[in-house]
Amino acid sequence: MYVGIEPADDVSEEAIGGLALGSQEFESFYRANERRLYGTLCVVTGDPREAEELLQEAFLRVWERWDRVSVMDDPAGYLFRTAFNLFRSRMRRLLRAARRTVLPVPRPSPSDQIDERMDLLAALRRLTPRQRAAVVLLDLMDLPSEEAGEILGVKAVTVRTLASQARHALRAEVEDRDG
Amino acid sequence: MANARPTLERIRDQFVPPPGGFERLVARRERRLRIRRITAATLALALSASLFLGLWSVMRTTVPPTLWPGGALTVRVGGTPVDVAVGEGSVWVATVTDSSGRGEVVRIDLTEGRVVARISLPEVGALAVGEGSVWVANLRHETVTRIDPATDVVAEVIDMPPLPYEVAEGDRAFLPERIATGFGRVWVSTARGSVTSIDPATGEVVEVASDPQVILGGVAAGAGSVWAWNTFEPPEAEVWRISPQSAEIDRMSVPATVLDAATGSAGLYLLHVQTGDVSLVGAVDPLEGPVEGSVPVGSAGERANAIAVADPTVYVAAATGNIYAIDQGSGDVTLLTRVPGEPTSLTVAAALWVTATDGTVTEVPLEREVAPEPTVVPTPTETADEHTPISGGFYPTTYREGDQVIMPVTFVDGTRAELVFDSRLRPEDLAVISFTSGGLGEVDRTLAIRYAEERIYQMHTGPIETYQGYGGSSVEVWEGPPGEFPCPHLIFRFGNWFVAVRTCQPELSDAEKAEWARSLVGRVIDDGFLVLEARSPLVLREVGGHEGPEVLLAGEGGWPFVTLRPGPCTTDQPARNQELRVMPDGQEVLFARIGKMWDANWCEDGAMYVGVESPDRGYVEAAAEGLRIRDLSVAR
């Protein structure tokens, strides 16, 4: 690795000596999709830390298969599906854990409360994880309910029901906020 | 609300990911790669049963870390070692040599302590030795490679059958991550929640255990069972205890996060990482399950990387290079020694073997409890033709003279000198990068010279043009890296050396590029260095000229950084931020602190500029006193 100095006329570190942990193509892919996936996962999980964890794991899984994913028609779609699969796995594990222990409801911090007044996260937090996932898959990602059902491991009709419940709750929340 | 899209988009767009996400991803990937290796089966010695009768006592070592060198032998295998195992009379190291995962399995003879074979593979990963063969997991290729230790050649490449479930749409690939041998079979795990076993005689692969919901961290065989564990699942992780005969599985929860695990005769020892990088070693009894209590290892903030067991001791390698020994009976923790570089894997047989990110594998003898004062010097390593570092640096051969290590260097114009280092400066860890400049007319070009840097052909587009080089060789033009100002480069190859010359700013005409290609000649000389010659009309800068030949020495991560520039020089008057000191041998040295960096530079015998830069003040001061030049012979 060429490091430490940077002769003005030199080939860049990346050209000659850069430690290539992955292709620049992958990094570009990461940068192009990071924000959208992060925001989507925040919506789905209602928890930015959880979203960040899922995002990192999803990108990592895509990275390890990048030679194949990169030639797919829709690498971003693969990324999002991977992320949702992880979310679904995590959801199941949380349910298993919940059977063993009663988890305290986290008390929102003052800053959280301010944030909640300023955005619509509170509305999302009132939804169940499955409702959030269903409405995101159908309305934000425009997936057919059959495909959303496959991702969530439920029937298409269940997805539609969950999404409908979510829309209803969101509508109530928005109407409350707006007046 | 017929469609919640506008609302959802409003919410989604409020969230901005925290900065540094990609860097965290890179770190995560590195960490994942580190744990993609398996600790070899350990020696079965008598174990104190008291370990499992109650809590381990918590005892911290008070022994301060000692400066490397502390080992008897350091072998530079090159690349980035990812796994190590002992067997068949040898130490086997899997080392990655380029970003595609390509690499080598390096065989080090235990008796001679030197590299006796290198087996190139399209991909290397975790490694295990047993059942008469060496086994290598090839993650991206979805295969396991079997190497015959009798011939050191690849005997078989075994395809891993698809998973019984999809992890993503249409994706059932079994990506083998870690591997172990025992009970007459080879055991392979994938993070995608599955363990399989291979019949070493037939190569037949059988699924053993699967759960798509679990992210498995690895597999080990010992203490009567095959073990698999998941890694990334706070607050609880899970260990699978698999019967090697019936494949019956017991699943048990253990504290997260499990970074690594290894078997002893008493069970499976788990290396946990907790918040704040406090590492703990816990254990799982083969019969009773998780043992209550655990032993903290290392200092606060000191991250642990790997674990190995040779009863009655558990060994832990920390990212700092510290190697800790834990007595299984008492739980006492002792700092055993410190090795160079950041450990990536660890195994133990008669001695401890530690691989590190700097491309080395170090033997740590086990008879010594605590490293003595740093009087033992690593065996000089014959490195010039033994490895292919990712860094593009060249590791020159060094040899010892008493307490000093001598490094002969040759500049690209043929100028030679010997660098005389105090052995504590660890010159064997320094890689050479060379520069010079030259041109066809008034505009000089910098010639960036790197060793074994094949990735330049993989990272960017090309060749976009090809010219005929001296002696019929090919000189190719490749696109530079994407960015604000991508600039194609002429790439020359001389042996394992690459020379890059930019073709823009100002642009070289086709005729000029052809002239460059014809006129630059390189040859690799006996000590492995590259010497360049220019045929008219090309002119290369001579020693003493502006941007003339330079040798730069860089350590792991770039520091320390040593600049050697032959040519007439004098010691300047100290600038305002500099301090002039006279070393015990009379050498005048200018010291400066520039930001977080410490800098020392001096003129050696009026004939060579020497600069040393590092964030480590102690190193810079030691170098000012303990680095000298001798036998300078300037090329004419």
Side-chain angles (χ1 to χ4, degrees), chain B residues 186-334:
Chain B
V186 180
W187 308 87
V188 188
S189 70
T190 174
R192 301 175 152 210
S194 186
V195 176
T196 62
S197 80
I198 301 173
D199 182 335
T202 63
E204 181 196 16
V205 186
V206 178
E207 185 202 351
V208 175
S210 291
D211 182 344
Q213 309 303 327
V214 172
I215 300 169
L216 285 181
V219 63
S225 298
V226 174
W227 308 82
W229 59 92
N230 76 341
T231 299
F232 302 100
E233 209 48 58
E236 284 189 338
E238 194 173 74
V239 167
W240 295 357
R241 180 176 52 207
I242 305 167
S243 164
Q245 291 81 30
S246 66
E248 187 180 335
I249 306 172
D250 287 331
R251 297 170 70 154
M252 55 195 85
S253 294
V254 295
T257 297
V258 180
L259 182 67
D260 196 11
T263 54
S265 60
L268 184 72
Y269 292 86
L270 305 168
L271 179 60
H272 303 287
V273 179
Q274 286 198 330
T275 306
D277 288 331
V278 175
S279 299
L280 302 168
V281 171
V284 180
D285 184 292
L287 300 176
E288 302 297 328
V291 176
E292 192 178 351
S294 55
V295 177
V297 185
S299 314
E302 186 177 36
R303 181 164 44 86
N305 279 358
I307 188 172
V309 182
D311 295 329
T313 308
V314 178
Y315 299 94
V316 171
T320 52
N322 284 339
I323 307 296
Y324 294 96
I326 306 160
D327 183 86
Q328 292 176 357
S330 66
D332 288 359
V333 180
T334 307

Side-chain angles (χ1 to χ4, degrees), chain A residues 41-179:
Chain A
L41 290 172
C42 283
V43 171
V44 171
T45 63
D47 181 345
R49 282 167 299 186
E50 178 86 352
E52 163 81 356
E53 174 67 17
L54 287 170
L55 175 141
Q56 289 266 318
E57 189 60 33
F59 269 115
L60 193 59
R61 290 185 176 207
V62 170
W63 196 351
E64 70 184 11
R65 312 219 66 209
W66 182 241
D67 52 342
R68 297 179 190 190
V69 177
S70 61
V71 296
M72 290 179 176
D73 290 340
D74 183 11
Y78 183 89
L79 170 73
F80 276 70
R81 283 172 176 76
T82 302
F84 272 85
N85 274 335
L86 286 168
F87 167 71
R88 188 180 63 170
S89 300
R90 191 161 291 242
M91 208 165 56
R92 287 183 177 173
R93 279 193 294 271
L94 288 174
L95 289 172
R96 280 210 306 266
R99 289 191 210 110
R100 287 199 295 268
T101 179
V102 177
L103 297 173
V105 177
R107 294 180 60 184
S109 67
S111 61
D112 285 342
Q113 289 168 351
I114 292 167
D115 287 341
E116 286 176 7
R117 281 196 296 272
M118 294 176 65
D119 62 33
L120 291 159
L121 192 55
L124 281 170
R125 284 181 175 160
R126 294 199 179 91
L127 305 180
T128 68
R130 290 204 307 173
Q131 286 172 336
R132 285 196 297 263
V135 76
V136 165
L137 289 170
L138 293 192
D139 290 359
L140 196 57
M141 297 179 65
D142 287 331
L143 293 183
S145 54
E146 289 74 18
E147 193 171 343
E150 283 177 19
I151 290 173
L152 293 177
V154 296
K155 292 178 181 172
V157 65
T158 307
V159 174
R160 290 194 291 272
T161 304
L162 289 167
S164 173
Q165 292 165 348
R167 288 183 203 114
H168 183 76
L170 283 173
R171 182 174 54 205
E173 187 69 28
V174 170
E175 285 171 356
D176 282 353
R177 282 170 191 279
D178 297 341

Side-chain angles (χ1 to χ4, degrees), chain B residues 571 579-591 602 624-625 628:
Chain B
T571 302
E579 178 192 349
L580 181 64
R581 294 189 210 166
V582 180
M583 298 293 108
D585 63 354
Q587 177 69 55
E588 291 183 332
V589 176
L590 288 168
F591 283 90
W602 63 94
E625 196 172 327
R628 292 292 177 267

